[in-house]
Coordinates of all heavy atoms in Angstrom, one line a residue:
A69 N 3.4 -19.7 -4.3 CA 2.7 -20.7 -5.2 C 1.7 -20.1 -6.2 O 1.7 -20.5 -7.4 CB 2.1 -21.8 -4.3
L70 N 0.9 -19.2 -5.7 CA -0.2 -18.7 -6.5 C 0.0 -17.4 -7.1 O -0.6 -17.0 -8.1 CB -1.5 -18.7 -5.7 CG -2.0 -20.0 -5.2 CD1 -3.3 -19.8 -4.4 CD2 -2.3 -21.0 -6.3
G71 N 0.9 -16.6 -6.5 CA 1.2 -15.2 -6.9 C 2.2 -14.6 -6.0 O 2.8 -15.2 -5.2
P72 N 2.4 -13.3 -6.2 CA 3.4 -12.5 -5.4 C 3.1 -12.7 -3.9 O 1.9 -12.6 -3.4 CB 3.2 -11.1 -5.8 CG 2.7 -11.2 -7.2 CD 1.8 -12.4 -7.2
A73 N 4.1 -13.0 -3.1 CA 3.9 -13.2 -1.7 C 3.3 -11.9 -1.0 O 3.7 -10.8 -1.3 CB 5.3 -13.5 -1.0
G74 N 2.3 -12.1 -0.2 CA 1.6 -11.0 0.5 C 0.9 -10.1 -0.4 O 0.3 -9.1 0.0
G75 N 0.8 -10.5 -1.7 CA 0.1 -9.6 -2.7 C 0.9 -8.3 -3.0 O 0.3 -7.4 -3.6
L76 N 2.1 -8.2 -2.6 CA 2.9 -7.0 -2.7 C 3.8 -7.0 -4.0 O 4.5 -8.0 -4.2 CB 3.8 -6.8 -1.5 CG 3.0 -6.6 -0.2 CD1 4.0 -6.5 1.0 CD2 2.2 -5.3 -0.2
V77 N 3.7 -5.9 -4.7 CA 4.5 -5.8 -6.0 C 4.9 -4.3 -6.1 O 4.2 -3.4 -5.7 CB 3.6 -6.1 -7.2 CG1 4.3 -5.8 -8.5 CG2 3.2 -7.6 -7.2
I78 N 6.1 -4.1 -6.6 CA 6.6 -2.8 -6.9 C 7.0 -2.8 -8.4 O 7.8 -3.6 -8.8 CB 7.8 -2.4 -6.0 CG1 7.4 -2.3 -4.6 CG2 8.4 -1.1 -6.5 CD1 8.6 -2.0 -3.6
L79 N 6.4 -1.9 -9.1 CA 6.7 -1.7 -10.5 C 7.5 -0.4 -10.7 O 7.3 0.5 -10.0 CB 5.4 -1.5 -11.3 CG 4.3 -2.6 -11.2 CD1 3.0 -2.3 -11.9 CD2 4.8 -4.0 -11.6
S80 N 8.4 -0.4 -11.7 CA 9.3 0.7 -11.7 C 9.8 0.9 -13.2 O 10.0 0.0 -13.9 CB 10.5 0.5 -10.8 OG 11.4 1.6 -10.9
R81 N 10.0 2.2 -13.5 CA 10.7 2.6 -14.7 C 12.2 2.9 -14.4 O 13.0 3.1 -15.3 CB 10.1 3.8 -15.3 CG 8.7 3.6 -16.0 CD 8.2 4.8 -16.8 NE 7.1 4.4 -17.6 CZ 5.9 4.8 -17.4 NH1 5.6 5.5 -16.3 NH2 4.9 4.4 -18.2
L82 N 12.5 2.9 -13.1 CA 13.9 3.1 -12.7 C 14.5 1.8 -12.3 O 13.9 0.8 -11.9 CB 13.9 4.0 -11.4 CG 13.1 5.3 -11.5 CD1 13.1 6.0 -10.2 CD2 13.8 6.2 -12.6
H83 N 15.8 1.7 -12.5 CA 16.5 0.4 -12.2 C 16.5 0.2 -10.7 O 16.7 1.1 -9.9 CB 18.0 0.5 -12.7 CG 18.1 0.4 -14.2 ND1 18.0 -0.7 -14.9 CD2 18.3 1.4 -15.1 CE1 18.1 -0.5 -16.2 NE2 18.3 0.8 -16.4
L84 N 16.3 -1.1 -10.3 CA 16.3 -1.5 -8.9 C 17.5 -2.3 -8.6 O 18.0 -3.1 -9.4 CB 15.0 -2.3 -8.7 CG 13.7 -1.6 -9.0 CD1 12.5 -2.6 -8.8 CD2 13.5 -0.3 -8.3
A85 N 17.9 -2.2 -7.4 CA 19.1 -2.9 -6.9 C 18.7 -3.9 -5.8 O 19.0 -3.8 -4.7 CB 20.2 -2.0 -6.3
G86 N 18.0 -4.9 -6.3 CA 17.6 -6.0 -5.4 C 16.3 -5.7 -4.6 O 15.8 -4.6 -4.6
S87 N 15.7 -6.7 -4.0 CA 14.5 -6.6 -3.2 C 14.5 -7.6 -2.0 O 15.2 -8.6 -2.1 CB 13.3 -6.8 -4.1 OG 13.2 -8.1 -4.5
E88 N 13.7 -7.3 -1.0 CA 13.6 -8.1 0.2 C 12.1 -8.2 0.6 O 11.5 -7.1 0.6 CB 14.4 -7.7 1.3 CG 15.9 -7.7 1.1 CD 16.7 -7.3 2.3 OE1 16.1 -7.1 3.4 OE2 18.0 -7.1 2.2
Y89 N 11.6 -9.3 0.9 CA 10.3 -9.5 1.4 C 10.3 -10.1 2.8 O 11.1 -11.0 3.1 CB 9.4 -10.4 0.5 CG 8.0 -10.6 1.0 CD1 7.0 -9.7 0.9 CD2 7.8 -11.8 1.7 CE1 5.8 -10.0 1.4 CE2 6.5 -12.1 2.2 CZ 5.5 -11.1 2.1 OH 4.3 -11.4 2.6
A90 N 9.4 -9.6 3.7 CA 9.3 -10.2 5.0 C 7.8 -10.2 5.4 O 7.1 -9.2 5.2 CB 10.1 -9.4 6.0
R91 N 7.4 -11.3 6.0 CA 6.0 -11.4 6.5 C 6.0 -10.6 7.9 O 6.9 -10.7 8.7 CB 5.6 -12.8 6.8 CG 4.2 -13.0 7.3 CD 3.9 -14.4 7.6 NE 3.7 -15.2 6.4 CZ 3.3 -16.5 6.4 NH1 3.2 -17.1 7.5 NH2 3.1 -17.1 5.2
L92 N 4.9 -9.9 8.1 CA 4.8 -9.1 9.3 C 4.3 -10.1 10.4 O 3.8 -11.2 10.2 CB 3.7 -8.0 9.1 CG 4.2 -6.9 8.2 CD1 3.0 -6.0 7.9 CD2 5.3 -6.1 8.8
P93 N 4.6 -9.7 11.7 CA 4.2 -10.6 12.8 C 2.7 -11.0 12.8 O 1.9 -10.2 12.3 CB 4.5 -9.7 14.0 CG 5.6 -8.8 13.6 CD 5.3 -8.5 12.2
Q94 N 2.5 -12.2 13.2 CA 1.1 -12.8 13.1 C 0.4 -12.7 14.5 O 1.1 -12.5 15.5 CB 1.2 -14.2 12.7 CG 1.9 -14.4 11.3 CD 1.0 -13.8 10.2 OE1 -0.1 -14.2 10.0 NE2 1.6 -12.7 9.6
P95 N -0.9 -12.8 14.5 CA -1.6 -12.8 15.8 C -1.2 -13.9 16.7 O -0.9 -15.0 16.2 CB -3.1 -13.0 15.3 CG -3.2 -12.6 13.9 CD -1.8 -12.9 13.3
R96 N -1.1 -13.6 18.0 CA -0.6 -14.6 18.9 C -1.7 -15.6 19.2 O -2.9 -15.3 19.1 CB -0.2 -13.9 20.2 CG 1.0 -13.0 20.1 CD 1.4 -12.5 21.4 NE 2.6 -11.6 21.3 CZ 3.2 -11.1 22.4 NH1 2.8 -11.3 23.6 NH2 4.3 -10.3 22.2
R97 N -1.3 -16.8 19.5 CA -2.2 -17.9 19.9 C -3.1 -17.4 21.0 O -2.6 -16.9 22.0 CB -1.5 -19.1 20.2 CG -2.4 -20.3 20.5 CD -1.5 -21.6 20.7 NE -0.7 -21.9 19.5 CZ 0.1 -22.9 19.4 NH1 0.3 -23.7 20.5 NH2 0.8 -23.2 18.3
G98 N -4.4 -17.6 20.9 CA -5.3 -17.2 22.0 C -5.8 -15.8 21.9 O -6.6 -15.4 22.7
S99 N -5.4 -15.1 20.8 CA -6.0 -13.8 20.6 C -7.5 -13.9 20.2 O -7.9 -14.9 19.8 CB -5.2 -13.0 19.5 OG -5.5 -13.6 18.2
R100 N -8.2 -12.8 20.4 CA -9.6 -12.8 20.2 C -10.0 -12.5 18.7 O -11.2 -12.2 18.4 CB -10.3 -11.8 21.1 CG -10.1 -12.2 22.6 CD -10.8 -11.1 23.5 NE -10.0 -9.8 23.4 CZ -10.6 -8.7 23.2 NH1 -11.9 -8.6 22.9 NH2 -9.9 -7.6 23.2
L101 N -9.1 -12.5 17.8 CA -9.4 -12.2 16.4 C -10.2 -13.2 15.7 O -10.0 -14.4 16.0 CB -8.1 -11.9 15.6 CG -7.2 -10.8 16.1 CD1 -6.0 -10.6 15.1 CD2 -7.9 -9.5 16.3
P102 N -11.1 -12.9 14.8 CA -11.9 -13.9 14.1 C -11.0 -14.7 13.2 O -9.9 -14.3 12.8 CB -12.9 -13.0 13.3 CG -12.3 -11.6 13.3 CD -11.5 -11.5 14.5
V103 N -11.5 -15.8 12.8 CA -10.8 -16.8 12.0 C -10.4 -16.1 10.6 O -9.2 -16.2 10.2 CB -11.6 -18.0 11.7 CG1 -10.9 -18.9 10.7 CG2 -11.8 -18.8 13.0
R104 N -11.3 -15.4 10.0 CA -11.0 -14.7 8.7 C -9.9 -13.7 8.9 O -9.0 -13.6 8.0 CB -12.3 -14.0 8.2 CG -12.0 -13.4 6.8 CD -13.3 -12.8 6.3 NE -13.1 -12.2 5.0 CZ -14.1 -11.7 4.3 NH1 -15.3 -11.6 4.7 NH2 -13.8 -11.2 3.1
A105 N -9.8 -13.0 10.0 CA -8.7 -12.0 10.2 C -7.4 -12.8 10.4 O -6.4 -12.3 9.9 CB -9.0 -11.2 11.4
R106 N -7.4 -13.9 11.0 CA -6.2 -14.7 11.2 C -5.7 -15.2 9.8 O -4.5 -15.2 9.5 CB -6.4 -15.9 12.1 CG -6.6 -15.5 13.5 CD -7.0 -16.7 14.3 NE -7.1 -16.4 15.8 CZ -6.0 -16.5 16.6 NH1 -4.8 -16.8 16.1 NH2 -6.1 -16.2 17.8
V107 N -6.6 -15.6 9.0 CA -6.2 -16.1 7.6 C -5.6 -14.9 6.8 O -4.6 -15.0 6.2 CB -7.4 -16.7 6.9 CG1 -7.0 -17.0 5.5 CG2 -7.8 -18.0 7.6
N108 N -6.3 -13.8 6.8 CA -5.9 -12.6 6.1 C -4.5 -12.1 6.6 O -3.7 -11.6 5.8 CB -6.9 -11.5 6.2 CG -8.1 -11.8 5.3 OD1 -8.1 -12.6 4.4 ND2 -9.2 -11.1 5.6
A109 N -4.3 -12.3 7.9 CA -3.0 -11.8 8.5 C -1.8 -12.6 7.9 O -0.7 -12.0 7.8 CB -3.0 -12.0 10.0
L110 N -2.0 -13.8 7.3 CA -1.0 -14.5 6.7 C -0.4 -13.8 5.5 O 0.7 -14.1 5.0 CB -1.5 -15.9 6.3 CG -1.9 -16.9 7.4 CD1 -2.5 -18.1 6.9 CD2 -0.6 -17.2 8.3
R111 N -1.2 -12.9 4.9 CA -0.8 -12.2 3.7 C -0.2 -10.8 4.1 O 0.1 -10.0 3.2 CB -2.0 -12.0 2.8 CG -2.7 -13.3 2.4 CD -3.8 -13.0 1.3 NE -4.5 -14.2 0.9 CZ -5.6 -14.6 1.4 NH1 -6.2 -13.9 2.3 NH2 -6.2 -15.7 1.0
S112 N -0.1 -10.4 5.3 CA 0.4 -9.1 5.7 C 1.9 -9.2 5.6 O 2.5 -10.1 6.2 CB -0.1 -8.7 7.1 OG 0.2 -9.7 8.1
G113 N 2.5 -8.2 5.0 CA 4.0 -8.2 4.8 C 4.5 -6.9 4.4 O 3.8 -5.9 4.3
M114 N 5.8 -6.9 4.1 CA 6.4 -5.7 3.5 C 7.5 -6.1 2.5 O 8.2 -7.0 2.7 CB 7.0 -4.8 4.6 CG 7.9 -5.5 5.6 SD 8.4 -4.3 6.9 CE 9.1 -5.5 8.1
L115 N 7.6 -5.3 1.4 CA 8.5 -5.6 0.3 C 9.4 -4.3 0.2 O 8.8 -3.2 0.0 CB 7.7 -5.8 -1.0 CG 8.5 -6.0 -2.3 CD1 9.3 -7.3 -2.2 CD2 7.6 -5.9 -3.5
S116 N 10.7 -4.5 0.2 CA 11.6 -3.4 0.1 C 12.5 -3.5 -1.1 O 12.9 -4.6 -1.5 CB 12.5 -3.4 1.4 OG 11.8 -3.3 2.6
V117 N 12.7 -2.3 -1.8 CA 13.7 -2.3 -2.9 C 14.5 -1.1 -2.7 O 14.3 -0.2 -1.9 CB 12.9 -2.2 -4.2 CG1 12.0 -3.4 -4.5 CG2 12.2 -0.9 -4.4
R118 N 15.6 -1.0 -3.4 CA 16.5 0.1 -3.4 C 16.7 0.6 -4.8 O 16.9 -0.2 -5.8 CB 17.9 -0.3 -2.8 CG 18.7 1.0 -2.5 CD 20.0 0.5 -1.8 NE 19.8 -0.1 -0.5 CZ 19.6 0.5 0.6 NH1 19.7 1.8 0.7 NH2 19.4 -0.2 1.8
L119 N 16.6 1.9 -5.0 CA 16.8 2.5 -6.4 C 18.3 2.4 -6.7 O 19.2 2.9 -5.9 CB 16.3 3.9 -6.4 CG 14.8 4.1 -6.2 CD1 14.5 5.6 -6.4 CD2 14.0 3.2 -7.1
A120 N 18.7 1.9 -7.8 CA 20.1 1.6 -8.2 C 20.9 2.9 -8.2 O 22.0 3.0 -7.8 CB 20.2 0.9 -9.5
D121 N 20.3 4.0 -8.8 CA 21.1 5.2 -9.0 C 21.2 6.1 -7.8 O 22.3 6.7 -7.5 CB 20.4 6.0 -10.1 CG 20.5 5.4 -11.5 OD1 21.4 4.5 -11.6 OD2 19.7 5.7 -12.4
S122 N 20.1 6.2 -7.0 CA 20.2 7.1 -5.8 C 20.4 6.4 -4.5 O 20.7 7.1 -3.5 CB 18.8 7.9 -5.8 OG 17.8 7.0 -5.5
G123 N 20.1 5.1 -4.4 CA 20.3 4.4 -3.1 C 19.1 4.6 -2.2 O 19.0 4.1 -1.1
V124 N 18.0 5.3 -2.7 CA 16.8 5.5 -1.9 C 16.1 4.2 -1.7 O 16.0 3.4 -2.7 CB 15.9 6.5 -2.5 CG1 14.5 6.5 -1.9 CG2 16.5 7.9 -2.5
R125 N 15.6 3.9 -0.5 CA 14.8 2.7 -0.3 C 13.4 3.0 -0.4 O 12.9 4.1 0.0 CB 15.1 2.1 1.2 CG 16.4 1.5 1.4 CD 16.4 0.8 2.8 NE 16.0 1.8 3.8 CZ 15.6 1.5 5.1 NH1 15.5 0.2 5.4 NH2 15.4 2.4 6.0
V126 N 12.6 2.0 -1.0 CA 11.2 2.1 -1.1 C 10.6 0.9 -0.4 O 11.0 -0.2 -0.8 CB 10.7 2.3 -2.5 CG1 9.2 2.3 -2.6 CG2 11.3 3.5 -3.2
V127 N 9.7 1.1 0.5 CA 9.1 0.0 1.3 C 7.6 0.0 1.0 O 6.9 1.0 1.2 CB 9.4 0.1 2.8 CG1 8.8 -1.1 3.5 CG2 10.9 0.2 3.1
N128 N 7.1 -1.1 0.5 CA 5.7 -1.3 0.2 C 5.1 -2.2 1.4 O 5.6 -3.4 1.5 CB 5.5 -2.0 -1.1 CG 4.1 -2.2 -1.5 OD1 3.1 -1.6 -0.9 ND2 3.8 -2.9 -2.6
V129 N 4.2 -1.7 2.1 CA 3.7 -2.4 3.3 C 2.2 -2.6 3.3 O 1.5 -1.8 2.8 CB 4.2 -1.7 4.6 CG1 3.5 -0.3 4.7 CG2 3.9 -2.5 5.8
H130 N 1.7 -3.7 3.9 CA 0.3 -4.0 4.0 C 0.0 -4.8 5.3 O 0.0 -6.0 5.3 CB -0.2 -4.8 2.8 CG -1.6 -4.9 2.6 ND1 -2.3 -5.9 1.9 CD2 -2.6 -4.1 3.1 CE1 -3.6 -5.7 2.0 NE2 -3.8 -4.6 2.7
P131 N -0.2 -4.1 6.4 CA -0.6 -4.7 7.7 C -2.0 -5.3 7.6 O -2.7 -5.1 6.7 CB -0.5 -3.6 8.7 CG 0.3 -2.5 8.0 CD 0.0 -2.6 6.6
V132 N -2.3 -6.1 8.6 CA -3.6 -6.8 8.7 C -4.7 -5.7 8.8 O -4.5 -4.7 9.4 CB -3.6 -7.7 9.9 CG1 -3.5 -7.0 11.2 CG2 -4.8 -8.6 9.9
A133 N -5.8 -6.1 8.2 CA -7.0 -5.2 8.3 C -7.7 -5.2 9.6 O -7.9 -6.3 10.2 CB -8.0 -5.5 7.2
N134 N -8.0 -4.1 10.2 CA -8.8 -4.0 11.4 C -10.3 -3.9 11.0 O -10.8 -2.9 10.6 CB -8.4 -2.8 12.2 CG -9.2 -2.6 13.5 OD1 -10.3 -3.1 13.6 ND2 -8.6 -1.9 14.4
T135 N -11.0 -5.0 10.9 CA -12.3 -5.1 10.4 C -13.3 -4.5 11.4 O -14.5 -4.4 11.1 CB -12.7 -6.5 10.1 OG1 -12.5 -7.4 11.2 CG2 -11.9 -7.1 8.9

Side-chain angles (χ1 to χ4, degrees):
L70 300 178
L76 295 174
V77 173
I78 296 177
L79 307 175
S80 179
R81 288 190 168 105
L82 306 175
H83 288 283
L84 305 176
S87 65
E88 295 182 9
Y89 174 81
R91 181 184 288 181
L92 290 171
Q94 299 297 294
R96 294 186 179 182
R97 183 175 299 178
S99 73
R100 296 178 293 128
L101 298 187
V103 173
R104 184 174 180 180
R106 290 174 172 275
V107 173
N108 288 339
L110 295 173
R111 303 185 182 100
S112 56
M114 52 185 163
L115 175 69
S116 305
V117 301
R118 192 177 297 273
L119 300 184
D121 292 338
S122 65
V124 170
R125 286 188 306 163
V126 178
V127 182
N128 184 11
V129 66
H130 192 202
V132 65
N134 181 336
T135 54

